[in-house]
Amino acid sequence: MNIIRTTAVELTTIPAIAYKQKLSTGGAGLKIQRMDTDAMAMFTLDRRSGEGVPYGKYDESLFPAEAVTEAKDLTLGLPYTSRGKIKVKITKKPAEKNDPADDIFHDEDVTEAEVDKVDMVHSPEYDAILQEFLSDEGKLNYLVMNKDFIQFASRSTMVGQMIGERASDKEILYYVVGSRAINLSGRKESLSPQEIEGLIETLDEINPRSAFKELSLHIRQMLARSK
């Protein structure tokens, strides 16, 4: 079964790999798997700050704070794709488990991502955004993406009309994101509000700084100038 996750990155602070994944419960999680024992640690990530909250117990001596920080930094901006499970070949004898609760990290409902109710990771619009704004390092370039969407909003006759009609900043944001995403993908069908929301949330999870922070600010400025 494939899961929705980033590529796996290798850490330098400890012998381990890490990846970020979509959770069946919503939001993003960070999973770190050591390569010298079968120990692993799982964190749920705050949607905005990106800070990790431990999910279950883990051995802090095996997963020091600097390793968790490195894992978050290395996976920041990496896009989700549908990928198979990772099988890690343990190079040493597996560590003994002192607490049966450690098995919580093997609960697939939490540690393995399932497709959200609106799966935009597999959509042409999501793929088109990655193709257009992925950096040479394989990470999503949010600054370039926002600049492009701001230019679209500034040129759009419909956005001007929506501003004149005093539409909300969220309504305008959804129109701009949905329309530009369709334009990039070359498709003709419009996206539903649920699909646009799913697309924005997925891009937010890749980098919790808020995918369209600059675009949202630009829209609010346009509304303020029209008063």
Side-chain angles (χ1 to χ4, degrees):
M1 180 186 72
N2 284 348
I3 60 176
I4 308 302
R5 64 172 177 83
T6 67
T7 56
V9 295
E10 186 170 354
L11 307 187
T12 60
T13 48
I14 60 173
I17 61 169
Y19 59 87
K20 192 159 63 177
Q21 61 192 72
K22 289 186 75 68
L23 302 177
S24 59
T25 53
L30 179 69
K31 189 173 182 179
I32 307 175
Q33 168 72 63
R34 287 193 66 112
M35 294 185 289
D36 54 350
T37 76
D38 65 352
M40 65 181 71
M42 178 72 186
F43 304 83
T44 56
L45 300 176
D46 184 89
R47 290 180 182 271
R48 296 305 179 192
S49 69
E51 292 303 311
V53 178
Y55 188 93
K57 297 172 62 177
Y58 72 98
D59 189 337
E60 294 185 23
S61 66
L62 295 177
F63 300 95
E66 57 267 26
V68 178
T69 298
E70 182 185 19
K72 289 190 295 185
D73 290 344
L74 289 178
T75 56
L76 185 66
L78 289 177
Y80 290 134
T81 54
S82 181
R83 299 176 181 274
K85 294 181 182 180
I86 293 179
K87 295 182 179 179
V88 178
K89 183 178 181 181
I90 307 300
T91 56
K92 295 183 180 180
K93 181 181 179 180
E96 292 184 1
K97 293 183 178 179
N98 299 320
D99 190 336
D102 289 341
D103 289 332
I104 194 170
F105 294 117
H106 298 284
D107 180 358
E108 292 190 0
D109 287 338
V110 176
T111 60
E112 302 301 351
E114 302 289 347
V115 176
D116 281 353
K117 57 183 178 180
V118 178
D119 177 21
M120 295 308 291
V121 172
H122 298 94
S123 70
E125 291 77 21
Y126 176 80
D127 288 341
I129 287 175
L130 294 188
Q131 291 176 16
E132 187 74 17
F133 304 114
L134 214 60
S135 69
D136 293 338
E137 292 76 29
K139 296 189 174 186
L140 194 60
N141 191 325
Y142 282 80
L143 291 178
V144 174
M145 181 178 70
N146 272 269
K147 182 178 179 180
D148 178 278
F149 279 63
I150 287 172
Q151 290 176 343
F152 175 85
S154 299
R155 296 193 304 262
S156 172
T157 302
M158 179 57 70
V159 169
Q161 180 178 329
M162 294 177 73
I163 290 174
E165 295 173 351
R166 306 309 302 167
S168 69
D169 55 345
K170 181 178 179 179
E171 289 173 326
I172 297 174
L173 174 66
Y174 274 40
Y175 170 78
V176 172
V177 172
S179 299
R180 184 59 180 143
I182 290 173
N183 181 270
L184 288 170
S185 70
R187 294 215 309 172
K188 301 297 183 182
E189 300 87 352
S190 60
L191 297 177
S192 69
Q194 292 77 19
E195 288 173 320
I196 297 172
E197 182 177 19
L199 180 60
I200 292 174
E201 287 184 355
T202 296
L203 295 172
D204 278 344
E205 289 170 9
I206 295 174
N207 186 336
R209 66 188 295 276
S210 178
F212 295 104
K213 181 178 180 180
E214 288 82 3
L215 173 61
S216 297
L217 176 60
H218 179 76
I219 290 171
R220 290 195 294 270
Q221 290 173 338
M222 293 175 72
L223 284 168
R225 288 196 298 266
S226 68
K227 290 183 179 179

